[in-house]
Amino acid sequence: MKELHLILLLLLSISTFAQTVNDLNNRNKSKKESVYANQIDSVMAKSYERGLFNGNVLIAKNNKIIYQKSFGFTDETKQTLLNKRSIFNIGSIAKEFNAVSIMILVERGLLDLDDPISKFNLGLPKWAEKVTIRHLINYASGIPRIENGLIVPKNDEEAWKILRSNDSLLFEPGTSYRYDNGNVFLQRRIIEKVTGMSFEEFVSKNIIKPLKMTNSVFDPKSGYKNRTSCYDMDNVRCPEMQFISGWLWVDIDDLYKWIEALNSNRLISKESFQTLLNNPYAKDEGGSLGRYFEKEELQRHNGVSYKFESIFLNDLKNNITIILVSNNINRVWDLGHIIHNLMLGKEYKIPKKSVYQAIRKEAVNDVNKAIETYYLLKKNSKNEYSFENPGELNKLGYELLRLGKSHESITIFKLATNEFPKDANLFDSLGEAYFTNKQYDLALENYKKAIGLGGTNGNAEKMVEKIEKEIEK
């Protein structure tokens, strides 16, 4: 009997010890999550204060949300604060829903990725016999572009007209990569052809309802409940989007449900998920689910539509999910990576105020005054502004170029090359501005400088060849 008491006492002691260790681990885990949350909040609050973020953020670790917050307003009137129920246009991230729908149909035996799209009798030209569904989901189809410069289809009928009236491909399917919404449009139409229901109905039945994405809606009109509107730095509302149908707007919780469902294979198998993550035709470009960095097991996808901008980083190795959605295009890309570095224990810096934002308005009206302001800020507030980032001036130069202000654009790019004399990309940009202004000799000079500094992935070389041919004429 005594031995039995000793055994029971020993078992009780082991159980108590195990429980104590477990409690200690949970406390340490909770403490670590709290530290993360405090650090993330400091980054986000400072970024909002500096005018670098207006939107919602959600961070999860080990399938648990450890930080979630809203910063800023639903539209340009700045009367209504954002909250977790606010729905956003997530741009290209919404293209994931048609790609996953394709894989659902593949797993059900209703489709094969190597089916030519001519099989679905869509009334397309003969090139449809060469293009497969696999090409479409990887943007390797070579189909005619439905968007070309300022020409953008306002609805599905216009998109059909463009595709059906173009008899030639941009390139042989599978030999190159072209990111174009025509690939997305045809995926959605194939889903409709196979299922006999609209794309929106199929996604609602097979994805939205099963995942309880209760605050997601396709193509909501202005005034729809919880809908945000995008606006620019001058507090001017963006135009309402007129485009092909089938764009799902979501709140940040629903977007997290979607990411978590793909991670846990609730919608498609792990094999199908990997098929969508890995683009066999253009590994470095990414595919339907954004860019996948195989070594790091990191999926990154961002979307832009007018001034809406979103990004998520899905770190499968460390079980971290980072989501930022914004309706006032700003620094979501930088912030996503800053938060990721923070959580991995890597060095990170809170973003500084934007030089671009500080002088852009002046640059449009009086570029010389903008340059005066630039140097004044650099003299008096160097530590507050992002003077070490060449992208700030580069972005401003391109904004001026898009506005048709080529002289002002050249002035800003010249400032940028003086400030960053070893940056090949800036000389490439200056070359483009001179080329646009038909100053071919100066364009050639700057493209050659870009090549001398290491080049710009072949663009400067191509432009030198193009300009030399132009000069020969």
Side-chain angles (χ1 to χ4, degrees):
M1 196 70 175
K2 196 172 186 180
E3 287 179 3
L4 182 60
H5 284 157
L6 286 170
I7 292 168
L8 288 172
L9 186 62
L10 181 61
L11 289 172
L12 184 62
S13 299
I14 292 170
S15 176
T16 303
F17 176 75
Q19 184 62 46
T20 302
V21 170
N22 193 45
D23 288 345
L24 187 61
N25 287 338
N26 286 337
R27 279 199 296 272
N28 288 339
K29 189 176 175 183
S30 181
K31 188 177 179 182
K32 197 168 186 180
E33 288 171 356
S34 180
V35 170
Y36 283 145
N38 289 337
Q39 289 175 322
I40 294 165
D41 193 56
S42 176
V43 168
M44 295 309 304
K46 191 59 101 173
S47 298
Y48 175 66
E49 178 192 314
R50 291 176 174 175
L52 303 176
F53 183 72
N54 186 98
N56 287 349
V57 56
L58 181 153
I59 316 296
K61 171 73 175 167
N62 297 324
N63 306 314
K64 176 187 173 185
I65 296 173
I66 63 168
Y67 181 82
Q68 184 170 9
K69 206 162 184 179
S70 299
F71 295 88
F73 301 92
T74 61
D75 59 36
E76 81 290 349
T77 65
K78 298 192 174 179
Q79 297 296 309
T80 307
L81 290 169
L82 289 166
N83 61 64
K84 64 186 290 186
R85 300 287 289 167
S86 300
I87 61 172
F88 292 78
N89 179 341
I90 53 173
S92 292
I93 296 174
K95 297 172 187 178
E96 295 193 1
F97 293 93
N98 40 266
V100 170
S101 295
I102 290 283
M103 296 311 297
I104 288 172
L105 295 176
V106 168
E107 290 186 3
R108 292 177 185 176
L110 298 172
L111 279 182
D112 189 294
L113 289 183
D114 296 313
D115 284 338
I117 61 176
S118 56
K119 177 180 178 179
F120 306 101
N121 301 315
L122 299 172
L124 295 166
K126 196 169 177 60
W127 50 253
E129 296 174 6
K130 295 182 176 182
V131 177
T132 67
I133 297 172
R134 193 184 301 276
H135 293 139
L136 291 180
I137 64 173
N138 290 298
Y139 302 99
S141 64
I143 63 171
R145 297 187 65 190
I146 64 170
E147 304 157 85
N148 194 359
L150 297 174
I151 301 171
V152 176
K154 294 180 181 177
N155 49 48
D156 293 352
E157 289 71 28
E158 289 188 11
W160 273 129
K161 187 176 180 182
I162 294 167
L163 289 169
R164 287 169 173 164
S165 63
N166 280 276
D167 294 327
S168 57
L169 291 165
L170 298 174
F171 52 82
E172 196 67 20
T175 63
S176 191
Y177 173 93
R178 182 80 197 197
Y179 191 74
D180 181 76
N181 283 307
N183 296 274
V184 174
F185 178 77
L186 289 182
Q187 287 176 56
R188 292 173 182 172
R189 304 296 77 84
I190 289 168
I191 291 162
E192 292 176 338
K193 195 81 172 179
V194 171
T195 64
M197 59 178 80
S198 72
F199 170 66
E200 292 85 350
E201 287 172 334
F202 182 82
V203 173
S204 296
K205 181 180 177 181
N206 293 276
I207 295 173
I208 294 173
K209 287 180 182 175
L211 297 185
K212 294 182 172 57
M213 295 171 64
T214 55
N215 201 28
S216 298
V217 62
F218 283 100
D219 304 315
K221 301 295 182 189
S222 180
Y224 186 88
K225 185 182 178 184
N226 296 321
R227 183 190 189 275
T228 58
S229 293
C230 64
Y231 58 98
D232 63 19
M233 293 170 202
D234 300 319
N235 293 326
V236 175
R237 182 178 291 207
C238 307
E240 288 301 317
M241 184 168 73
Q242 290 182 295
F243 196 36
I244 58 174
S245 65
W247 300 97
L248 190 66
W249 291 48
V250 301
D251 69 19
I252 201 162
D253 282 323
D254 281 356
L255 185 52
Y256 175 59
K257 288 175 187 176
W258 165 253
I259 296 166
E260 196 276 330
L262 290 182
N263 288 349
S264 57
N265 313 123
R266 290 174 58 197
L267 292 172
I268 56 175
S269 68
K270 186 175 182 180
E271 183 182 5
S272 293
F273 186 38
Q274 288 295 321
T275 296
L276 291 177
L277 284 175
N278 292 282
N279 187 337
Y281 306 105
K283 192 174 180 66
D284 292 336
E285 298 289 353
S288 291
L289 302 186
R291 181 85 188 273
Y292 183 58
F293 302 88
E294 197 170 358
K295 186 179 177 182
E296 295 85 1
E297 294 180 46
L298 175 68
Q299 176 196 9
R300 180 187 68 206
H301 205 174
N302 75 298
V304 178
S305 179
Y306 291 113
K307 301 297 179 182
F308 283 105
E309 185 173 17
S310 303
I311 192 170
F312 72 78
L313 282 79
N314 183 27
D315 183 338
L316 299 162
K317 183 186 285 186
N318 297 293
N319 204 352
I320 295 169
T321 303
I322 297 163
I323 309 172
L324 295 106
V325 290
S326 169
N327 59 332
N328 179 225
I329 194 165
N330 38 45
R331 298 289 289 276
V332 301
W333 183 283
D334 295 336
L335 288 167
H337 284 281
I338 287 165
I339 293 168
H340 192 221
N341 285 338
L342 181 160
M343 295 191 71
L344 294 180
K346 295 181 180 179
E347 185 181 344
Y348 70 93
K349 291 180 181 178
I350 296 176
K352 295 181 180 180
K353 290 181 182 178
S354 169
V355 173
Y356 161 74
Q357 288 182 25
I359 66 171
R360 63 174 290 279
K361 214 165 187 177
E362 276 186 340
V364 172
N365 298 315
D366 184 342
V367 71
N368 293 320
K369 192 166 182 197
I371 291 174
E372 283 179 27
T373 302
Y374 176 88
Y375 283 120
L376 198 62
L377 288 172
K378 191 172 183 180
K379 180 182 177 183
N380 299 324
S381 310
K382 188 173 182 179
N383 294 329
E384 290 180 44
Y385 286 85
S386 53
F387 287 101
E388 69 283 355
N389 181 4
E392 294 280 307
L393 291 174
N394 199 47
K395 182 161 54 169
L396 177 56
Y398 274 112
E399 181 171 340
L400 293 167
L401 200 59
R402 283 193 298 272
L403 291 171
K405 294 179 174 287
S406 54
H407 170 71
E408 290 84 352
S409 171
I410 289 167
T411 304
I412 291 297
F413 283 135
K414 284 173 74 175
L415 168 67
T417 55
N418 286 333
E419 291 288 282
F420 302 94
K422 295 183 180 179
D423 192 304
N425 187 55
L426 292 176
F427 283 98
D428 186 285
S429 300
L430 180 55
E432 184 175 342
Y434 276 128
F435 181 80
T436 303
N437 209 38
K438 294 185 167 50
Q439 293 174 268
Y440 298 130
D441 288 347
L442 289 170
L444 195 62
E445 180 186 320
N446 282 281
Y447 279 124
K448 286 182 176 178
K449 282 181 182 176
I451 294 168
L453 289 168
T456 50
N457 296 321
N459 182 68
E461 288 83 352
K462 287 177 186 173
M463 289 305 299
V464 166
E465 187 180 337
K466 184 176 180 178
I467 293 166
E468 285 176 343
K469 285 180 182 176
E470 192 71 32
I471 291 171
E472 284 173 10
K473 291 179 185 176

